[in-house]
Amino acid sequence: MAKPFYILQRFLRRVQLLLLFLGVAYIMAGSVLLLQRSGQVVSQRGGPSLPPMPSLPSLHKAPGEGRVYGSARSQMAANRERDPDDPSRGRAGPHWLVSRNLEIRLLRRRWFHHLEQESQVERGPVPRKVGHKGTYVGCFLDDKDNRALGGNVFYDFRKMTSTLCQDTCSESGYRFAGLEYGAECYCGNRISTSRTREEDCNLDCKGEKGSPCGGVGRLSIYKVEELLPGQRRYRNVRYRGCFERPKNITAAFLVHSIQPNLTLQSCIETCTIKELPLAVLRRPDCFCGYVSSRFTLHQPAEERYCAHANATGPITSVDREYYQVYQTPVQDSRCTERKFLPEKSNTLVALTSFPGAGNTWVRHLIELATGFYTGSFYFDGTLYNKGFKGEKDYWKSGRTICVKTHESGRHEIEMYDSAILLIRNPYRCLMAEFNRKCAGHLGHAAEQHWKSNEWPEFVSSYASWWASHVLDWLKFGRQVLVVHYEELQGALFLQLRHIASFLNISITDERLLCAQSNQDGHFKRSATQKQGFDPFTPEMKLLIDGYIHTVDSALRDRNYTGLPQEYLPR
């Protein structure tokens, strides 16, 4: 009996070894095959990684592609002859203006591939211990209905640190800085909720390991570094203009103080401490409050009425009826809360524009005015990290109020049920996009960039895209609301109401006024740096002006208002 059992045991051992050998051989063979295939892909691409975006050489001179582009031009010309509705048919534009051609498609692909690469290479700082300027106070309760700190709010989902939050709040005139979810920063001058257990603030800051950054519904609060009133340096203080005294001044403002030695600095400090965004002054009176239906800032008066607002001399009876108005560093918090749509929408609305036309700024305004997040056809990590939470949401989810896109092919346009078409002066668009390409969302291109060959090649390639983008959306868009960037700047309240009506969202005047008060946002590039020369040559102007005339005619042919007069002449 023992012998058969021994034989069986030896057989099983041999089978086990054989199976092990076969398994190892199978894995090795698979690895070799995978390496071979990877080598083939790399050889086809010409390198081990995706090539970086070129410095936009002129696509009209692409080597080896002239025959393809020539056939595309011929085909597009034939299509225009057959299509009587083509907006570019019969017009003497500087070039053919159909974005379906291969040049525009290739340009768009390169642009978006470059945008994706920018988001992918973004990295957070190396985790390290940082000495804090202020004093840690504790962990406090916080939710959207009962905020611990009621002042400014900003986000950084990648690089938030307690020091960054404290510095931002201090520069805005606040005494306390609070961090939540590891990435959200809240400011305030008083704490409105009760303290909770320290272990509830169990999240580290995204950019600073080992530093408490709140938790879920919990705020880690710091008292910022104390500065004497004369040493405070506020940012974002902005002069709003000279305005007539409201009829019921007591109802229009929440705070009134009389200061015999009133100065602009003292009035702004008074309103900042009270966490109010408007400082309204006429010696010796200082008022603080919000933009409201009683004080809308829609009709500024002539500056001569406020010329002596802080002078020590006598004030005439006429001058007493006018006040200087300043925006304090305090953010108007009445419209900062945003959320996804409570129910998924069956209607897909595009917010479409040429790159550099202010799409991000308009998204900011729409979110403030409606209280709902906007989405994006792409994913820009920089925008997401700064608070555009809809950036990471699937663009067809139906949870956002509208979707950002720069696409302009027929197939891409017909995916949307309606669209807000944002148009900006092409001269400004091209400069803004070139600044973004060279120096990011908020920077400015250096002088050597403007004087290099990159700039004329950029204009040559991108100018036709500006025109073809508008023409395609006018032709293939199902329901299009045209919004001019310049008109939105000049009449923000009225234009936002039109946009909200188009989105079928009911909003209050208070919400619109709040959006107007917070209109700059975090992605507004500072005033354009003045070059010592005009970056646009006569040849560039001739090219761009031709596109402007073509787009203007296309708008008028479809019963839209033409382009603003400031587009021409330049």
Side-chain angles (χ1 to χ4, degrees):
M1 185 68 184
K3 187 174 182 180
F5 180 77
Y6 172 74
I7 294 173
L8 177 62
Q9 188 179 30
R10 188 171 60 177
F11 173 75
L12 291 176
R13 285 178 181 175
R14 289 178 179 176
V15 170
Q16 193 175 24
L17 289 173
L18 179 62
L19 292 175
L20 178 62
F21 173 77
L22 291 175
V24 172
Y26 178 79
I27 293 173
M28 292 179 63
S31 301
V32 171
L33 181 61
L34 181 61
L35 288 172
Q36 289 177 345
R37 290 183 177 177
S38 300
Q40 291 175 357
V41 172
V42 169
S43 64
Q44 290 171 1
R45 292 181 179 178
S49 61
L50 289 172
M53 182 183 181
S55 59
L56 289 173
S58 176
L59 296 178
H60 302 287
K61 300 178 182 179
E65 295 179 345
R67 192 165 58 233
V68 175
Y69 287 168
S71 63
R73 288 191 181 99
S74 301
Q75 183 62 39
M76 289 301 131
N79 288 343
R80 286 198 298 273
E81 291 176 0
R82 292 193 299 266
D83 187 0
D85 295 328
D86 195 318
S88 62
R89 181 178 181 266
R91 295 192 178 91
H95 287 295
W96 43 281
L97 291 173
V98 181
S99 66
R100 289 165 290 173
N101 68 74
L102 297 180
E103 291 192 14
I104 297 295
R105 284 190 174 185
L106 180 59
L107 180 62
R108 286 205 308 263
R109 287 171 185 164
R110 289 183 178 180
W111 187 87
F112 293 124
H113 172 63
H114 177 56
L115 188 64
E116 291 173 358
Q117 282 186 322
E118 280 188 340
S119 298
Q120 290 169 1
V121 299
E122 185 184 15
R123 295 289 183 269
V126 178
R128 57 190 173 89
K129 295 285 185 179
V130 179
H132 305 306
K133 297 180 181 179
T135 305
Y136 179 69
V137 178
C139 184
F140 290 80
L141 297 172
D142 185 69
D143 60 66
K144 65 178 182 178
D145 297 321
N146 189 19
R147 290 295 185 193
L149 299 175
N152 286 17
V153 183
F154 83 99
Y155 309 88
D156 196 323
F157 294 105
R158 181 66 64 83
K159 302 177 183 178
M160 180 63 73
T161 67
S162 60
T163 301
L164 172 62
C165 182
Q166 290 180 57
D167 287 345
T168 302
C169 294
S170 178
E171 290 172 1
S172 298
Y174 291 102
R175 297 174 56 208
F176 297 104
L179 298 114
E180 189 170 0
Y181 297 116
E184 300 179 1
C185 176
Y186 296 83
C187 308
N189 284 322
R190 53 186 174 275
I191 304 173
S192 304
T193 60
S194 59
R195 190 189 300 265
T196 185
R197 301 177 305 168
E198 285 299 317
E199 52 266 33
D200 289 349
C201 290
N202 53 6
L203 296 179
D204 287 345
C205 292
K206 295 292 185 181
E208 183 182 6
K209 299 299 181 184
S211 178
C213 247
V216 179
R218 300 293 186 269
L219 209 60
S220 296
I221 296 183
Y222 295 82
K223 186 175 182 180
V224 303
E225 185 180 24
E226 291 284 356
L227 292 175
L228 296 175
Q231 297 175 334
R232 292 173 182 165
R233 293 293 179 266
Y234 296 138
R235 65 174 184 177
N236 297 332
V237 174
R238 184 160 59 94
Y239 180 58
R240 298 298 298 270
C242 180
F243 292 88
E244 189 175 2
R245 172 192 177 112
K247 294 180 179 179
N248 189 340
I249 197 165
T250 304
F253 303 115
L254 300 176
V255 174
H256 175 211
S257 66
I258 299 177
Q259 303 176 24
N261 298 319
L262 178 71
T263 64
L264 170 61
Q265 179 75 7
S266 65
C267 185
I268 289 176
E269 283 193 4
T270 298
C271 298
T272 300
I273 291 172
K274 298 296 183 181
E275 298 186 3
L276 294 170
L278 283 189
V280 182
L281 61 153
R282 159 68 68 184
R283 184 177 57 85
D285 297 305
C286 173
F287 298 91
C288 308
Y290 295 99
V291 179
S292 67
S293 57
R294 294 186 178 90
F295 195 65
T296 62
L297 303 186
H298 287 167
Q299 296 179 331
E302 295 180 25
E303 284 299 322
R304 61 188 177 89
Y305 292 118
C306 290
H308 306 291
N310 295 313
T312 56
I315 302 174
T316 67
S317 57
V318 175
D319 288 344
R320 290 185 185 277
E321 297 301 314
Y322 294 88
Y323 292 80
Q324 287 183 319
V325 180
Y326 285 85
Q327 187 93 31
T328 73
V330 176
Q331 186 180 41
D332 191 335
S333 58
R334 295 174 295 172
C335 57
T336 54
E337 293 291 344
R338 294 162 293 165
K339 60 185 178 181
F340 289 103
L341 293 174
E343 297 181 0
K344 292 186 177 181
S345 174
N346 296 323
T347 302
L348 199 59
V349 183
L351 174 61
T352 180
S353 70
F354 175 79
N359 200 302
T360 301
W361 178 58
V362 177
R363 288 178 66 187
H364 163 74
L365 294 175
I366 290 174
E367 291 191 0
L368 290 179
T370 65
F372 296 115
Y373 287 116
T374 59
S376 177
F377 184 74
Y378 323 101
F379 169 58
D380 188 333
T382 304
L383 295 180
Y384 175 77
N385 292 335
K386 295 300 182 181
F388 286 89
K389 292 186 178 179
E391 192 75 24
K392 206 170 184 178
D393 200 58
Y394 177 51
W395 67 282
K396 276 189 175 181
S397 69
R399 302 200 310 155
T400 54
I401 193 67
C402 61
V403 178
K404 166 189 174 179
T405 181
H406 297 302
E407 299 286 347
S408 55
R410 177 173 184 172
H411 173 70
E412 290 82 359
I413 293 173
E414 291 180 345
M415 292 189 297
Y416 297 92
D417 300 292
S418 58
I420 300 169
L421 175 58
L422 178 64
I423 304 175
R424 187 183 184 185
N425 188 321
Y427 288 99
R428 301 298 181 191
C429 276
L430 292 168
M431 293 180 69
E433 180 56 17
F434 191 71
N435 278 322
R436 188 205 64 79
K437 177 182 177 294
C438 296
H441 284 284
L442 301 178
H444 293 272
E447 185 175 347
Q448 59 264 29
H449 288 118
W450 297 103
K451 293 185 176 181
S452 69
N453 291 332
E454 188 177 14
W455 168 240
E457 290 170 351
F458 179 89
V459 173
S460 175
S461 299
Y462 274 61
S464 60
W465 182 4
W466 175 85
S468 65
H469 179 273
V470 177
L471 297 177
D472 273 10
W473 279 95
L474 291 177
K475 180 177 180 181
F476 301 118
R478 295 174 185 169
Q479 185 180 0
V480 179
L481 172 68
V482 174
V483 176
H484 297 289
Y485 176 91
E486 294 77 14
E487 293 178 357
L488 186 60
Q489 281 186 313
L492 187 65
F493 186 90
L494 181 62
Q495 292 293 323
L496 278 180
R497 183 170 290 285
H498 287 327
I499 292 173
S501 177
F502 183 79
L503 294 170
N504 198 26
I505 296 292
S506 178
I507 53 179
T508 62
D509 285 354
E510 183 182 74
R511 185 105 196 176
L512 284 174
L513 290 167
C514 176
Q516 185 179 31
S517 181
N518 292 340
Q519 61 182 279
D520 286 348
H522 299 298
F523 274 91
K524 180 178 175 60
R525 187 177 278 108
S526 59
T528 304
Q529 293 179 339
K530 293 183 178 180
Q531 290 92 7
F533 65 99
D534 187 351
F536 295 97
T537 64
E539 293 77 13
M540 292 180 186
K541 294 178 182 179
L542 182 64
L543 178 76
I544 296 170
D545 289 350
Y547 290 137
I548 291 175
H549 284 302
T550 302
V551 170
D552 184 72
S553 298
L555 286 168
R556 295 180 187 278
D557 287 348
R558 286 163 173 77
N559 296 322
Y560 289 101
T561 303
L563 295 175
Q565 290 295 321
E566 68 175 69
Y567 286 28
L568 282 174
R570 180 178 169 82

